[in-house]
Amino acid sequence: MKYKKLGDNILYNGSQIKPFWAFQELKLKGSSIVSWIGPMKIEPEELIDYEDVNHEIKSDEMIHFIIEHFDIQPADIKTCYHRQRMFVMIVKDTLCEFGIKTMRKGDDIYFKGKKLSVSISTCSNSSMKIHFGMNVTNRGTPEDIETIGLLECSNDFDYEKIDVCIDKICKSYIYEIRSIEEDITKTKVF
Amino acid sequence: MKYKKLGDNILYNGSQIKPFWAFQELKLKGSSIVSWIGPMKIEPEELIDYEDVNHEIKSDEMIHFIIEHFDIQPADIKTCYHRQRMFVMIVKDTLCEFGIKTMRKGDDIYFKGKKLSVSISTCSNSSMKIHFGMNVTNRGTPEDIETIGLLECSNDFDYEKIDVCIDKICKSYIYEIRSIEEDITKTKVF
Amino acid sequence: MKYKKLGDNILYNGSQIKPFWAFQELKLKGSSIVSWIGPMKIEPEELIDYEDVNHEIKSDEMIHFIIEHFDIQPADIKTCYHRQRMFVMIVKDTLCEFGIKTMRKGDDIYFKGKKLSVSISTCSNSSMKIHFGMNVTNRGTPEDIETIGLLECSNDFDYEKIDVCIDKICKSYIYEIRSIEEDITKTKVF
Amino acid sequence: MKYKKLGDNILYNGSQIKPFWAFQELKLKGSSIVSWIGPMKIEPEELIDYEDVNHEIKSDEMIHFIIEHFDIQPADIKTCYHRQRMFVMIVKDTLCEFGIKTMRKGDDIYFKGKKLSVSISTCSNSSMKIHFGMNVTNRGTPEDIETIGLLECSNDFDYEKIDVCIDKICKSYIYEIRSIEEDITKTKVF
Amino acid sequence: MKYKKLGDNILYNGSQIKPFWAFQELKLKGSSIVSWIGPMKIEPEELIDYEDVNHEIKSDEMIHFIIEHFDIQPADIKTCYHRQRMFVMIVKDTLCEFGIKTMRKGDDIYFKGKKLSVSISTCSNSSMKIHFGMNVTNRGTPEDIETIGLLECSNDFDYEKIDVCIDKICKSYIYEIRSIEEDITKTKVF
Amino acid sequence: MKYKKLGDNILYNGSQIKPFWAFQELKLKGSSIVSWIGPMKIEPEELIDYEDVNHEIKSDEMIHFIIEHFDIQPADIKTCYHRQRMFVMIVKDTLCEFGIKTMRKGDDIYFKGKKLSVSISTCSNSSMKIHFGMNVTNRGTPEDIETIGLLECSNDFDYEKIDVCIDKICKSYIYEIRSIEEDITKTKVF
């Protein structure tokens, strides 16, 4: 599984959740996790979550993670949501190590009751995709819900720490997936 | 998914990891999570982890969790390990709420470098099984590795809190599995 | 699995066979069976059965059933057709209890050699869908095949009985699916 | 799918439910349905249904059907139970054509509230197995439940009709499975 | 599995790789292998291989094979690529019997370092598709890679032999798939 | 996927086909291919092929290959047989490069009508296993079938070449499996 951190300030508009985005746009072949910092504004036609219809999904500055898995064929949405949960738990755990204690509910992370993140999973027949976005600040987020950004969670947190934090999250996730693969090869089944 | 907490001081000897144990011994039908406090001494013939061969797996007092899932047919060890990881993350998270900050590596939990838990997953064609055991004290644990028990992690922690903690872990896990089921029903796939 | 009977006289135009129709149109989340009485006229672009191309699929008044299942991931057309067959057998059985003895061939039901019903199954990666439509009368059905409606099968049958019959069919199907889930949890496998 | 009717009066002792029985005992290779008339007395160690433990499963004379499917790999118990239900519905339907109106609940068939049949499904990783047994008479059946045999359901029913009935059931089931295979090849999926 | 050899000089434009092409265009229902001789010019919008984007895929005269499988549900791209490899190995083997010794790398066949063939696999949820095209001559092939046609590989090879060769390849592949089905039914699993 | 060539003259007695043999006996963890030269004499209780019952499966000197795959969960016998066929085709192809032209039928290889090899595939829920054995000489092979060994196929062939040949076969197979994994990540699905 490859990890690539993009330097550009790319808009997450929902198109990146499509299968093969990493290969088509970044020439990144195979299972991968891509991360960058940039705004979010999801086009209605790119919505994956039917419950999000008629809601604005936007933020001026977020850390984005796009994950794609090809290891399970056919891909299925159930396994994908298991991995999404594992990823979100790793995010929560990593933030905690940086002194930011959050609360998780399903695939959402909250700080003092304020929404810090958005996430969705989807799949095609051949790959599983996960998007996880976490506000850096709450600027440009929807007005109908209380939101917060990482920089507002802690005075201690800055872009340098964000950068370290992103690396740690991605490497932990990659390690987790690989360690599961390894555990299978030592386990008796009935 | 059913949750049952047993009052008896049952020995975990490895036989409980077998499929249909909950139904055959407890008349608990369907997917379930069972928990109790008791010693552990795994019989060599019940070993599931081929890396554990020739190691003693024992402890005088542990919190045991036995999970069985029938929702995916055929059952597979890969999905089972995903759920095991989710469970262990929930345990770590819950302990943290009780003031016990641990470190997780794969399916093991450590406190200040000392091993706090053991875990294994397995499956048959029709069900997935998970065992997670966490030392209450380090009495009776193997001498060749450094271990610790919950009561030794914090002066604050006692049997009453353990009881609350067990409930919280089990309910969080059940909620998590159900919330994944629900998320599937609102998600567009490609 | 949820059951909803619609009071409106909705046209079945084939769009209802699409995954997530129940959620998008009726806010019905999860596995469900929806039933209503209304006409049918399938738009060519909504055809699922490649053998129906260039055939008119229409009727002035039918009982419609739309089933969606999310319990198996990934969804597959083979399992879906097994469930469709089970559903059609339940329909035949229920009609028999109301004194209407029909003949079944695959997913079609006939009364005295006249076609009483239409049915199709399909799936996406994440859900299985079944449509079953049964003529209330034969008005507006295609002229190139002999058709019949329930009211023409028996003088005894009326809208009140149709209403009871619909409930019975849906409840029997829901019971059947649940009883299968339960049988899995008591069965030894090799 | 092959169909073989055995002339011998073979005891059903539960060993026939094991995968590859038809190949090992009858040199019948591949998916098959085997039928014969004979007694039943299931050895405790051959029990598949954990709910049957400590119950006597016996009858002096039954029609036995043993089905094995290799078409789905890996085999799974859920699909197997779907097929069992389809088979039992076909049995009920066929009996009805012979004038015997029965009531079905899950995989059991009753005549006037009396149990007429027993059934179980199971699988290994590579094949699905179904046993369905129907009393010819109620002689030798357990005393703790009310049972009945086909000959006691109708004065009209005799061994000649039983023979015709067996053929009809088996051929209908084989046709059903094949028609599902065919429907898959004409169906658009999303 | 059906085999059909077309007499017409049909252009392979990439549309034939779509699921259900054989049924929709040729009324060929079920798993099949179709073969014909004709040119190739793939329309950009029909490209399946993301690595082929911006490359010309063309040839004036090729032997085309289009395979579709419905036997595994849901269909998956991994199994499909296994079958494609088996097919290409059979092609290489058959050519060898006709005195043309080629070299294979993945799904490509080379003669003295020159590319002789193109191939792709894909699937929908319900069927697996394979295209394999082999140049009869190298006329009209892209100029940026060295290519060759069968007639240029050997003076001995002519259209009559090509015809025999096509039959042999198709029959060998059909035999192979069927022999796998049969081997399953004689094999003990753990 | 790991490759290990053993120097010892190990007897293949059928026990090596069991899942986890490479891990339990050789500490080789994960998917692997193991090869060695040694005799074969399969114990009746280790027989996997039900058609081999009552046949002697033996040879004084064979090249043995034992393959185990953990990449597909749950493992299934159908995919396993596809890989076995690919492996046998690679063996045939490699022998051909060494000047030994053989004929393949299913999983058997013949030289001038004489049997050169034996093979079987099997699986548990979590791994797929393949054994392929090829006679070095025909000494000690069953008398009721005509057999041959590699050294008898060609005067040119010796132990040094056998050694090179084994490496080539194993590396080609490993390459093939990996190239399939890669092709998946560049392929559009429907």
Side-chain angles (χ1 to χ4, degrees), chain C residues 106-146:
Chain C
D107 57 10
D108 285 321
I109 285 181
Y110 296 85
F111 183 81
K112 296 190 177 165
K114 294 175 181 173
K115 205 162 184 283
L116 187 60
S117 67
V118 296
S119 185
I120 195 66
S121 300
T122 189
C123 69
S124 72
N125 184 283
S126 77
S127 80
M128 298 186 274
K129 293 275 319 227
I130 301 167
H131 171 247
F132 184 81
M134 189 155 45
N135 298 316
V136 175
T137 79
N138 71 351
R139 284 195 312 271
T141 56
E143 291 183 3
D144 54 349
I145 40 165
E146 277 206 291

Side-chain angles (χ1 to χ4, degrees), chain B residues 25-76:
Chain B
E25 295 300 321
L26 309 172
K27 302 294 151 216
L28 207 57
K29 206 177 161 186
S31 297
S32 66
I33 179 163
V34 180
S35 184
W36 74 93
I37 295 175
M40 171 173 73
K41 185 160 170 39
I42 300 182
E43 298 302 320
E45 68 269 22
E46 305 283 11
L47 270 180
I48 294 298
D49 186 332
Y50 289 120
E51 289 184 337
D52 284 343
V53 172
N54 300 322
H55 289 85
E56 278 189 317
I57 316 286
K58 60 177 192 177
S59 176
D60 282 2
E61 191 175 21
M62 286 186 121
I63 310 170
H64 297 285
F65 300 90
I66 288 282
I67 298 169
E68 183 161 25
H69 289 289
F70 290 96
D71 62 323
I72 294 176
Q73 298 298 336
D76 73 280

